[in-house]
């Protein structure tokens, strides 16, 4: 036909390149959608933590319990797929001495917790730990600030001055007031920061998740540790 040119048929090479580009675009779009879902879930953690107080009755509690159990089941199914059968998961070692195990069992006894939750178990670093404070170590409980601060102080004590572990209130002060709000913390703790190898700062994010920031002073490096693999706070990234 006059005035018309027949286009060349697309070769197999061009077709394969087009399909590769299309698959690559689809893969990137799926990753972007997954990242958006994770960011929205991260922003809603505080709301989920207040969910039990927001339920009006037993019907709402049972509904949300069944819904969250389905989510936990799907997460466990995902973890079983990720973990290879050849990998060995290291479990915490039980107390070797029977006296230590008996002491742990006595401290975490739920019957004694119900009878006297304010019973003082120990006093370390000018902090009083009651049976209610240590009950956070029971299964399906949230570790509180008192236990976390006491544990990090024990690590600092055993480091022979190589580590400084400020309390969990250090990070909120730094976020709100900047360096001026925490510049006297080391002096009050009688710690020479220049002589330390690292600062170990606990981060209690949204009141329901713990992470750790390790500041390597000599290397001018910050290591962020999060068991959920969430991104570091903006203050650490800047």
């Amino acid at each position: 036909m006059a005035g018309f040119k027949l286009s060349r048929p697309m070769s197999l090479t061009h077709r394969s390149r087009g399909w590769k580009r299309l698959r690559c675009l689809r893969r990137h779009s799926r990753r972007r959608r997954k990242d958006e879902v994770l960011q929205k879930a991260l922003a809603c953690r505080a709301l989920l933590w207040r969910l039990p107080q927001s339920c009006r009755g037993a019907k709402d509690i049972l509904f949300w319990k069944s819904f969250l159990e389905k989510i936990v089941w799907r997460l466990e199914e995902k973890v079983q797929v990720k973990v290879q059968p050849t990998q060995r998961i290291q479990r915490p070692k039980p107390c070797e001495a029977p006296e230590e195990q008996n002491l742990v069992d006595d401290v975490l006894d739920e019957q004694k917790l119900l009878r006297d939750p304010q019973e003082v178990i120990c006093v370390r670093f000018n902090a009083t730990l009651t049976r209610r404070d240590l009950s956070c170590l029971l299964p399906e409980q949230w570790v509180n600030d008192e236990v976390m601060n006491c544990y990090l102080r024990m690590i600092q004590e055993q480091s022979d001055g190589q580590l400084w572990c400020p309390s969990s209130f250090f990070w909120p002060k730094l976020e709100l007031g900047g360096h001026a709000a925490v510049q006297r913390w080391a002096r009050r703790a009688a710690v020479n920061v220049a002589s330390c190898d690292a600062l170990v700062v606990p981060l209690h994010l949204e009141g329901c998740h713990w992470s750790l920031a390790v500041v390597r002073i000599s290397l001018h490096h910050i290591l962020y540790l999060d068991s959920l693999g969430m991104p570091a706070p903006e203050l650490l990234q800047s």
Side-chain angles (χ1 to χ4, degrees):
M1 296 175 63
F4 291 93
K5 293 183 179 180
L6 297 176
S7 60
R8 294 177 56 188
M10 185 179 294
S11 63
L12 294 177
T13 304
H14 287 89
R15 291 180 182 177
S16 62
R17 289 177 181 176
W19 281 113
K20 287 181 180 178
R21 292 196 188 98
L22 182 60
R23 286 196 296 267
C24 185
L25 290 174
R26 289 177 177 175
R27 193 182 308 118
H28 284 301
S29 63
R30 284 196 297 266
R31 289 178 181 175
R32 194 180 302 112
R33 287 196 297 268
K34 290 182 179 179
D35 292 340
E36 291 175 356
V37 171
L38 285 176
Q39 291 294 334
K40 292 179 180 179
L42 181 62
C44 295
R45 286 184 305 172
L47 295 177
L48 288 175
W49 176 246
R50 293 193 293 267
L51 182 61
Q53 290 81 10
S54 302
C55 294
R56 297 182 178 179
K59 187 177 180 180
D60 292 341
I61 294 175
L62 293 176
F63 170 79
W64 284 109
K65 182 181 177 182
S66 62
F67 177 76
L68 294 174
E69 284 176 349
K70 292 179 182 178
I71 295 178
V72 172
W73 179 80
R74 294 188 64 181
L75 290 174
E76 290 177 348
E77 187 180 18
K78 193 80 172 180
V79 169
Q80 291 176 2
V81 173
K82 293 288 184 180
V83 177
Q84 300 296 329
T86 57
Q87 294 178 349
R88 292 184 179 180
I89 301 175
Q90 295 183 355
R91 307 236 177 234
K93 297 181 180 180
C95 299
E96 297 179 357
E99 296 81 5
E100 295 181 358
Q101 185 62 46
N102 293 335
L103 180 60
V104 171
D105 293 339
D106 178 75
V107 169
L108 300 180
D109 191 341
E110 298 187 24
Q111 297 297 330
K112 294 183 179 180
L113 173 64
L114 294 175
R115 286 198 300 265
D116 189 7
Q118 299 301 329
E119 180 185 356
V120 177
I121 302 299
C122 65
V123 180
R124 293 295 302 272
F125 312 111
N126 298 326
T128 302
L129 295 179
T130 63
R131 194 176 289 275
R132 182 190 297 275
D133 295 331
L134 295 174
S135 66
C136 69
L137 301 177
L138 290 170
E140 300 181 0
Q141 300 295 325
W142 300 92
V143 178
N144 55 34
D145 295 84
E146 289 79 8
V147 173
M148 181 62 69
N149 292 332
C150 186
Y151 179 72
L152 291 177
R153 285 294 301 275
M154 292 173 62
I155 294 177
Q156 176 182 331
E157 190 179 57
Q158 297 177 4
S159 67
D160 295 330
Q162 301 301 313
L163 297 178
W164 179 40
C165 305
S167 69
S168 57
F169 306 104
F170 181 89
W171 175 252
K173 282 279 187 180
L174 182 62
E175 270 192 318
L176 294 176
H179 176 263
V182 296
Q183 61 181 354
R184 297 181 182 178
W185 278 54
R187 190 193 314 169
R188 294 174 182 172
V191 174
N192 185 9
V193 179
S195 63
C196 296
D197 288 343
L199 272 67
V200 181
V201 183
L203 281 67
H204 200 186
L205 304 176
E206 303 292 339
C208 59
H209 178 59
W210 286 99
S211 61
L212 202 67
V214 181
V215 182
R216 300 294 301 273
I217 300 174
S218 59
L219 300 178
H220 303 282
H221 177 72
I222 299 178
L223 177 64
Y224 182 69
L225 304 174
D226 192 307
S227 59
L228 299 179
M230 296 299 180
E234 295 181 1
L235 184 60
L236 288 179
Q237 296 180 7
S238 62

